[in-house]
Each structure stands twice: as C-alpha cells, then as structure tokens.
Amino acid sequence: MTEILPIDSLMIDRWTNQWMKQLGFNHEQLLKRNNKVEQFSRFVLDRIQTKKSIDITKREQLLLETLREYEHRLSRTGFENDIREEFENMKLKQKELYIEKRHQELDLKEEKYIKELDQLFQNERSLCQILTVTQMEIITDETLVKRIERLQDYINTLNKIKTERLTTIKSYRTRLNDLCNRLDVKPDNLSIICQLIDEKYESCLTTDSLDQIESFLNKLECKSEEQEKYVNTLVGTLEKLYAKLARDDASPPKRSAAYILRHNTAETVKQLENEIAQLQAKRMATSQAYCASMRKKIEELYEQCQIGGSERRPIDFEKITPAVLDECDREYDRLDDMYHVRKPILDAFEQWKLLVQQHSEFQKKSTSAARFHERGYSAVKEQAERKRFAIALPKAERTCLNILEQWEKEHTNQQFLINDIPIRQIIEQQHIGTSNTTATTVSNPSTTGLKTSTSSIGLTAVPQRTLSKNNIRKKSLRHVVKHTVEQQVSQSHHHEADEDTLEFTQLENIKHFNGLPRIVTSTPKTEKINSNHSVVDIGRNKTNDPIHKRRPSKRLIPTRR
C-alpha cells in the first residue's frame, strides 16, 4: 500500500492549476507529472527522514556521552548528583540544554573548590613550616571534596597545636621573665630566648625552639633552687649571728629587710652577704673575749658529756679568724646537742656507778667486826640494806642498758664512749673484776671454815636476792640474827687475828614480827673465841636464861639509840 504523502489538497490544487495554466499540461500529462512529483517528493521525504533520524541518533549518543562525562566529573570531584527525575521525560533539545547547564555549573563549582584547595595547601605549608611538621599525605584516588575535608581537618589539628604552643610559649615567657629578673640573667640578643622575650612568638613555635626554651628554663629553675637554698643558708647564718651578737652584745643589731622578706632574688643575696660581712666584722671586734668565753663553755661541755680526746675537735684559739669563730660555734652547737642526747644515759650510768660505790663501801663495812662496837648497829638494818642493794643494783644496770640500747638503735655502728672507754666495757669490767675477787676469796686456805656464799656477798657488784619476802616472814628472826652473828664472829677471827678476846655487849632490842620484844646477847669466854651465842625471848619463854638462870622480868628493856 502506497503511503499517502502528507500534502494537503489545497497545495495539490494550486500545483495542478499552475501546471495546467502555465505549462499547458493536459490531464494525462498532469497525472504523469503528478506521479513523478509524488515519487520525487517521496524520495526527498525519505532522505529528509533518514537524515533526521541519523541526526537524532547522533544527538542522543552525544547526549549520552555528555551525561556520562557529567557523572564522571561528579564522581571525580565528589559533588552530589543534582539531575532531577523529570530529566527522563524531557525532550531531546531540553535534555541537551539541561546537561549543558549542569556542566557549566559544575565547572564553576569545581573551579571554586580548586581555589579553596590551593589556599588550604598554602595554609598547610605555612603551618608545617612554623610547627616543623610533615605535610598531609596525598591519596591518588581521593575526590576533591574528600581531599578538601581531610585537609581542613589536618589544618584544624595544626591550628590547635599552634594554639597550644602559643599558650605554652606565653607561659614560658612569663616564667622566663620572672627567672631572669630573679637571677639577674640577660640572654643573647640573637637567641631564641631574646625573641621570646620580645614577643616574637611565630619564630618560637618550632620544635627545636621549644626544646631550647625548655632546656633554658630548666637550667634557670635549677639555679633558682640553688639560689633559694643559698638564701636559706645565708638566713640561717644571719640567725646565728643575730643570736650570738644578742648574747654577747648589750645592743643587738636590728633585723634587715632582706632577712625579714627573704625573697629569692639576686639583690636579696647581695644584701644578705653584705649584712653577714658587716656582722662578722662587728663580731671580730670582740673576738678575743668571745673566744675565751666559748673555750670555757666548750671545756665545761666536754666535762659534762664526759667526752675523751678521740671525740674532741681541735680548735686553734691562738689565731682568731672568722673561720675559727665559726668552728667554735659549730663545736658548741654539736656539744650542746650531744649533751641533751647523752644526758639520760649519763644520768643512768652515774646512778648505777653511785650504787656500785655505795655497795662496795657497804661490803667493806659489813665484813668488818668493828661494826659490832659501833653505837646503833642493827643486824636487821644491815640485812635490809643488803636486800636493797640486791634489788637496786640490777635495776639501775638494766635501766642504763635499756637507754643505751635505744641510743645504739638510733646511732648504728657507733659506740657510746665515756672518756674514750665504751660504757659496755666499763660494766663488763666491773662484772669481771668482781668475779675474779670472789674466786680468789673462795680459794684462800685461811677461809676454809667459811661459807662460799658468805664470802661472795661482800664482793659481788650486782648481788642477787638471797631470801624472798615469804621466806623471811616464815623463818624465825631469831635464827637469822643468830646466823649473822656467827658469821661475823668467824670473819672477825680471820681478819682480826691479833685480838685475843671479843667483848660483846647487848646489840639491840629487836621487835619480833608478832610484836614481842627480843634481845640478842653474847658472853664469849676469854680463852675461847668460838663461843656459843643465844637469843633470848623476853616475855614468852620463862625458862630461857642461859646466863644466870634467873627469871626474866616482864618489863620491856628500852632500846639503845
């Protein structure tokens, strides 16, 4: 079926009339001509349609490529796809215009982002140079937006580091100014320290600059600590000088402002040193009298502390210098401290020594027969005194040793010396000397008839208790007195062999523990030294009368005083 050309009837009528009138075609010719025209028209139309379809295909292909390029640019830059859903319903020409517009917008946006990226790179390079850090690593497949975001984060981190370093640098500057003023230090003009003082912070933000500043600050702080210790030393020296001058001078010096404030500055150090020099010069004016008084005090402390030559420090009092005065002060302070430490031990030792001396005298007196001739002799008092020494001597020794052990714990690897002799050696020698004396006395043939315990009592430095309280209460006082008298008579026979006779009178009226009066009597014969002695109980045993066999009176015999 032949396709009807899209030519309307009006145009056909116009062509027919024109051809018939102008060209003189008849109807047959006109039909032939119409057929040819129709064929040619169809041919032309086919060509036009073919060309048009080819053009549309090319345009569609070009549009597709343009769309793909746009999507590729979006994926490369990282921008969002802003193509609307209506794009599919648009005509070809509209699509071409829409895509072209999107490309133009994308070009502008990409150019803007590239400029921003360049600016960020410059900022990063500047911060890296200031902070001496490495630049951000570049990733090849990274989008433009992602790179800008990552670079912004890195720059923010660098800015944060820069801010922290600026804060640190400013605090360093404050400390540096304080320390330089305190120590009177002036840094070099071209150094990083001087730039920091001049508030040129940009040149001080590098890592090397920070290390230099911190190292310099540490040195200044060490010097400041040393200066503070030196100030304290100077203040202590001034305190001693004030105290000594106040003690030796009627008008003590007034405290200076540097001594009162005690600032840790170089100016304070100079003021303190000048004041110490002035006070030492003032002190040297009265050095002769001061040395004489200090020498006397030191000698007194030597005697009080019982310090021997090994613990004394030699001081040359002939050449008086400030060093000699200081040595005197140090020695006096040392001895004063030593006196307070040694005093409890010395007091306990002197108490023990006094008891040993008293016990030695008591032993000599208690072994002499002459005591029976003394007025007021009492065997009971003698026994009580012996018991007192048996208790007091071990107690005094133990007290002294306890205090000594506490001192030895505080002073390890040291010996407590009394006049260059260890105190333990003195106590041990007392024990050794006593035991040797006791052994000699026991082995003597002239004392064969005496009891060993009786001989050793008078020579033992630290006696032991022979009888407890319960045993003394249970034992009859009469037997105790009788036994004592017999021992003393035997000892008198050994020590006083020149005496031919012993005259014993009434010793003492002694009250029994039950309250009844008792009397000790002795009537030895002139030719017999070992006579019998008896104890008479008056008022209880009526038949006990060994002397005259008479009845005793019931009256109480007064005690001889």
Side-chain angles (χ1 to χ4, degrees), residues 24-86:
F25 289 158
N26 54 19
H27 185 67
E28 292 178 356
Q29 292 177 347
L30 183 61
L31 289 175
K32 291 180 180 179
R33 179 61 64 177
N34 287 339
N35 290 330
K36 290 182 179 181
V37 169
E38 182 178 0
Q39 290 177 358
F40 182 77
S41 298
R42 288 182 180 281
F43 175 76
V44 171
L45 181 61
D46 291 337
R47 288 183 61 183
I48 291 173
Q49 287 180 348
T50 302
K51 185 178 180 181
K52 184 177 179 180
S53 62
I54 292 172
D55 292 340
I56 290 174
T57 303
K58 289 181 179 180
R59 287 173 60 188
E60 287 179 352
Q61 186 176 2
L62 183 61
L63 179 63
L64 183 60
E65 292 178 357
T66 307
L67 184 60
R68 289 176 180 176
E69 183 182 359
Y70 181 75
E71 291 177 353
H72 176 70
R73 291 181 65 184
L74 288 178
S75 62
R76 180 171 54 83
T77 56
F79 298 143
E80 294 182 356
N81 191 354
D82 54 353
I83 297 178
R84 295 175 297 179
E85 296 180 355
E86 299 175 357

Side-chain angles (χ1 to χ4, degrees), residues 281-380:
K282 183 177 180 180
R283 189 182 176 199
M284 285 297 295
T286 59
S287 59
Q288 294 286 346
Y290 180 76
C291 278
S293 63
M294 287 299 294
R295 186 174 187 177
K296 183 178 179 181
K297 292 177 182 178
I298 289 173
E299 292 295 336
E300 290 177 355
L301 284 174
Y302 281 150
E303 295 299 329
Q304 291 176 2
C305 296
Q306 300 185 26
I307 294 177
S310 63
E311 293 182 307
R312 299 186 182 187
R313 294 179 180 176
I315 300 175
D316 188 7
F317 290 99
E318 302 299 330
K319 298 179 181 179
I320 300 177
T321 59
V324 172
L325 295 178
D326 295 338
E327 185 66 26
C328 290
D329 297 334
R330 286 192 293 269
E331 181 66 6
Y332 178 79
D333 295 337
R334 182 181 76 90
L335 292 176
D336 187 57
D337 297 337
M338 187 181 293
Y339 173 74
H340 290 90
V341 174
R342 292 169 66 95
K343 189 176 184 303
I345 303 176
L346 292 174
D347 292 343
F349 177 74
E350 290 297 331
Q351 183 68 25
W352 174 81
K353 187 177 177 181
L354 179 61
L355 285 173
V356 169
Q357 184 178 0
Q358 292 177 356
H359 181 259
S360 178
E361 295 176 356
F362 171 75
Q363 288 291 77
K364 291 179 182 179
K365 186 176 179 181
S366 63
T367 55
S368 176
R371 71 187 187 284
F372 295 109
H373 300 283
E374 295 178 359
R375 188 175 181 178
Y377 171 76
S378 175
V380 175

Side-chain angles (χ1 to χ4, degrees), residues 250-485:
S251 59
K254 294 182 180 180
R255 270 58 172 169
S256 63
Y259 171 78
I260 296 173
L261 297 177
R262 305 180 185 183
H263 291 159
N264 184 14
T265 59
E267 185 66 23
T268 303
V269 171
K270 293 179 181 178
Q271 294 176 2
L272 292 175
E273 289 176 346
N274 293 333
E275 187 175 1
I276 288 174
Q278 294 175 3
L279 293 179
Q280 286 180 348
K282 183 177 180 180
R283 189 182 176 199
M284 285 297 295
T286 59
S287 59
Q288 294 286 346
Y290 180 76
C291 278
S293 63
M294 287 299 294
R295 186 174 187 177
K296 183 178 179 181
K297 292 177 182 178
I298 289 173
E299 292 295 336
E300 290 177 355
L301 284 174
Y302 281 150
E303 295 299 329
Q304 291 176 2
C305 296
Q306 300 185 26
I307 294 177
S310 63
E311 293 182 307
R312 299 186 182 187
R313 294 179 180 176
I315 300 175
D316 188 7
F317 290 99
E318 302 299 330
K319 298 179 181 179
I320 300 177
T321 59
V324 172
L325 295 178
D326 295 338
E327 185 66 26
C328 290
D329 297 334
R330 286 192 293 269
E331 181 66 6
Y332 178 79
D333 295 337
R334 182 181 76 90
L335 292 176
D336 187 57
D337 297 337
M338 187 181 293
Y339 173 74
H340 290 90
V341 174
R342 292 169 66 95
K343 189 176 184 303
I345 303 176
L346 292 174
D347 292 343
F349 177 74
E350 290 297 331
Q351 183 68 25
W352 174 81
K353 187 177 177 181
L354 179 61
L355 285 173
V356 169
Q357 184 178 0
Q358 292 177 356
H359 181 259
S360 178
E361 295 176 356
F362 171 75
Q363 288 291 77
K364 291 179 182 179
K365 186 176 179 181
S366 63
T367 55
S368 176
R371 71 187 187 284
F372 295 109
H373 300 283
E374 295 178 359
R375 188 175 181 178
Y377 171 76
S378 175
V380 175
K381 289 182 180 179
E382 181 181 326
Q383 185 68 14
E385 191 73 6
R386 185 174 286 106
K387 287 169 56 180
R388 184 179 74 84
F389 282 117
I391 296 173
L393 266 173
K395 183 178 179 181
E397 182 180 347
R398 187 67 260 168
T399 302
C400 180
L401 292 177
N402 287 338
I403 301 175
L404 181 62
E405 288 176 359
Q406 185 65 29
W407 181 89
E408 289 174 347
K409 288 181 181 179
E410 297 175 358
H411 302 78
T412 56
N413 299 327
Q414 294 184 18
Q415 285 184 341
F416 191 91
L417 304 179
I418 295 180
N419 296 323
D420 293 338
I421 302 175
I423 186 173
R424 289 188 179 273
Q425 182 179 347
I426 297 173
I427 297 174
E428 290 175 0
Q429 285 179 355
Q430 180 66 26
H431 287 293
I432 293 171
T434 302
S435 61
N436 292 336
T437 306
T438 304
T440 304
T441 305
V442 172
S443 62
N444 194 344
S446 62
T447 60
T448 307
L450 300 179
K451 295 184 178 180
T452 305
S453 61
T454 306
S455 303
S456 61
I457 288 175
L459 301 174
T460 305
V462 184
Q464 302 297 326
R465 297 180 63 180
T466 56
L467 296 174
S468 63
K469 293 181 179 181
N470 296 330
N471 293 333
I472 291 177
R473 290 176 181 176
K474 293 179 181 179
K475 194 170 184 180
S476 172
L477 184 61
R478 178 174 59 84
H479 296 293
V480 174
V481 175
K482 182 179 178 180
H483 182 64
T484 303
V485 173

